[in-house]
Amino acid sequence: MNVSFEQIDAVNGMLTVELKREDFTSDVNKGVAAMGVRHPLKGFRPGKAPKNLLMKFYGPSVTADVIDRMVGKAVYDYIRDNKLQVLGEPLPNEDNKVDIMKDEEMTFKYDLGLAPAVELKLNKRINVPYYNIEVTDQMVDDAIAHDRKRLGTLVDGEVSDKESMLRGSMIELDEQGNDKADGIKVERTLISPRYMADDDEAAKFVGVKVGDTFVFNPHKANNGNIAELASMLNVDRAQADVKSDFRVTIEEIKVNKEAEMNEEFFKGVLGVETEVKDEAAFREAVRDMIARANIPESNYRFTVDAQRILTDKAGDLQLPEEFLKRFLKLRREQDNKENTEVTDEEAQSMFKQLRWQLVKDHLAQELGIKVEQEDIDTAAFIFAQQQLSQYGIYNAPEDLVRQQAERFMQDERAREAIHEHAIDNKFYSAVRESVKVNEKSISVEDFRKLYEKDEQ
């Protein structure tokens, strides 16, 4: 067996593997004999069938397997031993024409996509912006209003609003709008317009008083959700798919009374250990909390700008574009995708991502990035903090955050995502240390416009 490499141009190459039948005859004979033992031919005991008969039945498939393993190993060994930087996987050349059962000498050619060399080095002459999102008085007001509702209490109300919780009795109606004789009757069911899927049905429960009676459609209000219907109608799921109108009579209205601006409220928002005693100090603490909650957004934007700037600084990285499009098309065929064609838009997106991955891998090696368990634990903690902040919990106790992080680490997909976050966190932290970071204050509106500009 002989393996040779030809570099066609800067980013394309070809590996050629030359085989002679004597290179694999022994392995084929052993494989055929083993098949005769594991799968004896009809009329023969295991391992007792004539060799020529076994070769007739099993020779082609065994020969193909032996050659495939031998050639594949030769290709990958050559790439590894010669440190060829390849993209994707070697692809059989479309001109390969071999008869594995007849040819005494065989030639297998494989097309290779070669990775371009990246020569970028980080220094303080490279400028990357870092945007600090300004916290306005309105943002503080909105956050406090949200928390006053969140930590408020339900009290009896005279008139309902969309946030109210109502109780009422319901009677199923027939097609003429009369009480259905054998229809569903519900006593004191719980109704919340806030969670209704249909706005028109939800609006019927806004501005009503105790004693008001009107017609609504539970199926429409809940968008046919069987679980919601079963709960509202107090029936089993099997009986809940009811599309009739109902007459409802409001018996009780509970409205949300906002929390008072006092020390109990301050502790509910900032944590029991807070020493904040007055509204002015509380507003400043909320402002600081919002600013800290915005840091992940600023950090992410830094990664977007760093990726764009560093890719540009790396120069025009030539890629084996036709090879990569062919590689992606074959992958789709192997995955039995209905549409295997690669559009120009898809190709350009793939090339953009690949160029950045090449730059990132090069820089990670230059920067000596290594992820330790401590980095993963930190990433999990940050990930948990971000998840909790999405639910309005901006200042969760450390124990709660760590419990949430541990739950995430028990989920395989979340664990993989956290590991990627750990790598990115360490990489971009090293980048920030190595380039000049231009910090800028920016309004949240202008911050959003940065992404709109990206799309344009």
Side-chain angles (χ1 to χ4, degrees):
M1 180 170 59
N2 182 56
V3 184
S4 59
F5 172 69
E6 175 189 1
Q7 184 148 346
I8 297 172
D9 57 34
V11 290
N12 289 280
M14 181 181 292
L15 266 182
T16 302
V17 181
E18 296 173 324
L19 273 185
K20 295 181 179 179
R21 187 162 296 277
E22 63 192 49
D23 294 327
F24 56 84
T25 297
S26 176
D27 287 345
V28 169
N29 290 338
K30 292 177 182 177
V32 169
M35 288 293 288
V37 174
R38 292 196 301 271
H39 305 283
L41 298 179
K42 188 175 181 180
F44 295 94
R45 288 181 296 161
K48 299 301 182 181
K51 180 179 177 181
N52 62 339
L53 197 57
L54 288 172
M55 188 62 69
K56 177 182 177 182
F57 276 90
Y58 299 125
S61 62
V62 171
T63 301
D65 288 342
V66 168
I67 290 176
D68 185 59
R69 287 197 303 272
M70 185 175 289
V71 172
K73 185 176 184 304
V75 168
Y76 287 102
D77 285 352
Y78 188 94
I79 291 172
R80 182 197 63 220
D81 295 343
N82 291 274
K83 295 181 173 57
L84 296 181
Q85 300 299 313
V86 299
L87 301 174
E89 296 177 359
L91 299 180
N93 189 276
E94 294 174 341
D95 293 334
N96 282 345
K97 293 179 181 178
V98 175
D99 188 331
I100 61 173
M101 298 305 294
K102 294 182 180 179
D103 295 345
E104 291 298 319
E105 296 183 353
M106 307 172 194
T107 300
F108 299 90
K109 296 183 177 181
Y110 286 84
D111 299 323
L112 302 181
L114 305 177
V118 180
E119 298 179 356
L120 176 65
K121 290 187 179 297
L122 299 182
N123 56 64
K124 295 295 183 179
R125 294 189 300 275
I126 299 175
N127 293 279
V128 182
Y130 184 91
Y131 297 98
N132 293 302
I133 302 172
E134 298 168 350
V135 181
T136 64
D137 289 343
Q138 186 61 54
M139 293 166 70
V140 174
D141 290 341
D142 291 344
I144 293 174
H146 170 78
D147 284 326
R148 290 187 69 184
K149 285 183 179 180
R150 179 173 64 87
L151 297 176
T153 55
L154 288 175
V155 298
D156 291 333
E158 293 184 2
V159 181
S160 68
D161 58 30
K162 193 168 184 180
E163 302 297 322
S164 297
M165 300 293 290
L166 304 95
R167 286 194 182 276
S169 59
M170 294 168 49
I171 300 175
E172 186 178 1
L173 305 178
D174 60 23
E175 293 181 356
Q176 287 72 41
N178 300 315
D179 293 0
K180 193 172 181 181
D182 57 347
I184 296 173
K185 294 180 174 61
V186 190
E187 298 294 335
R188 291 185 58 78
T189 188
L190 188 64
I191 304 168
S192 175
R194 178 182 180 183
Y195 298 107
M196 286 185 180
D198 185 87
D199 291 340
D200 291 337
E201 294 298 317
K204 295 178 180 180
F205 292 87
V206 177
V208 301
K209 299 178 180 180
V210 172
D212 284 354
T213 298
F214 52 91
V215 174
F216 90 112
N217 189 289
H219 193 279
K220 185 178 178 183
N222 294 286
N223 197 27
N225 185 299
I226 296 299
E228 296 291 342
L229 282 166
S231 176
M232 179 178 285
L233 301 178
N234 195 23
V235 296
D236 293 334
R237 287 177 178 242
Q239 302 171 295
D241 193 17
V242 178
K243 298 181 174 62
S244 308
D245 285 338
F246 280 70
R247 180 182 295 109
V248 59
T249 300
I250 303 302
E251 299 171 342
E252 184 181 2
I253 298 172
K254 293 289 187 181
V255 295
N256 185 280
K257 181 183 178 182
E258 293 184 347
E260 298 289 339
M261 293 278 281
N262 53 31
E263 289 188 35
E264 182 183 357
F265 173 64
F266 301 157
K267 290 181 183 294
V269 176
L270 303 176
V272 295
E273 72 284 353
T274 185
E275 297 181 0
V276 170
K277 303 293 185 182
D278 58 68
E279 184 174 340
F282 175 68
R283 289 183 63 85
E284 287 308 306
V286 171
R287 187 183 300 276
D288 180 64
M289 191 165 57
I290 295 172
R292 283 186 279 112
N294 284 336
I295 289 175
E297 289 289 340
S298 297
N299 288 344
Y300 176 72
R301 183 65 213 186
F302 176 82
T303 70
V304 172
D305 290 321
Q307 177 176 334
R308 171 180 53 81
I309 291 167
L310 296 178
T311 302
D312 289 344
K313 290 290 183 182
D316 183 19
L317 298 178
Q318 186 182 355
L319 297 175
E321 296 187 358
E322 292 306 315
F323 171 88
L324 291 170
K325 286 190 281 189
R326 181 181 158 213
F327 172 74
L328 181 56
K329 185 174 186 294
L330 287 173
R331 272 290 181 86
R332 289 178 174 177
E333 290 174 356
Q334 292 169 359
D335 293 338
N336 296 317
K337 296 286 181 67
E338 290 185 10
N339 183 13
T340 62
E341 294 304 316
V342 181
T343 66
D344 288 340
E345 184 178 357
E346 289 173 328
Q348 292 307 316
S349 176
M350 174 176 63
F351 300 155
K352 180 180 178 181
Q353 292 174 14
L354 183 54
R355 285 188 174 95
W356 168 240
Q357 192 61 51
L358 290 168
V359 172
K360 184 180 177 183
D361 290 346
H362 165 77
L363 291 176
Q365 186 172 2
E366 290 282 315
L367 294 167
I369 301 299
K370 292 181 180 179
V371 175
E372 311 291 346
Q373 185 60 46
E374 182 181 356
D375 302 314
I376 296 173
D377 293 341
T378 300
F381 189 86
I382 294 171
F383 190 75
Q385 278 184 320
Q386 292 172 354
Q387 294 295 314
L388 290 169
S389 68
Q390 290 180 4
Y391 295 100
I393 307 174
Y394 298 106
N395 202 29
E398 183 174 329
D399 288 347
L400 176 61
V401 179
R402 294 203 181 281
Q403 289 173 12
Q404 185 78 345
E406 288 173 5
R407 281 196 289 270
F408 284 134
M409 289 301 291
Q410 291 170 7
D411 180 81
E412 183 177 354
R413 292 182 64 180
R415 189 165 58 248
E416 290 177 359
I418 288 169
H419 190 266
E420 288 299 317
H421 279 300
I423 295 173
D424 283 348
N425 290 343
K426 198 153 191 180
F427 172 77
Y428 286 109
S429 292
V431 169
R432 287 183 67 173
E433 293 293 323
S434 304
V435 301
K436 183 177 181 181
V437 179
N438 292 327
E439 293 203 29
K440 303 177 181 181
S441 293
I442 190 171
S443 69
V444 68
E445 292 79 15
D446 287 342
F447 186 79
R448 290 172 183 153
K449 288 178 182 177
L450 295 173
Y451 292 99
E452 294 174 7
K453 186 177 179 182
D454 292 342
E455 293 178 1
Q456 294 172 359

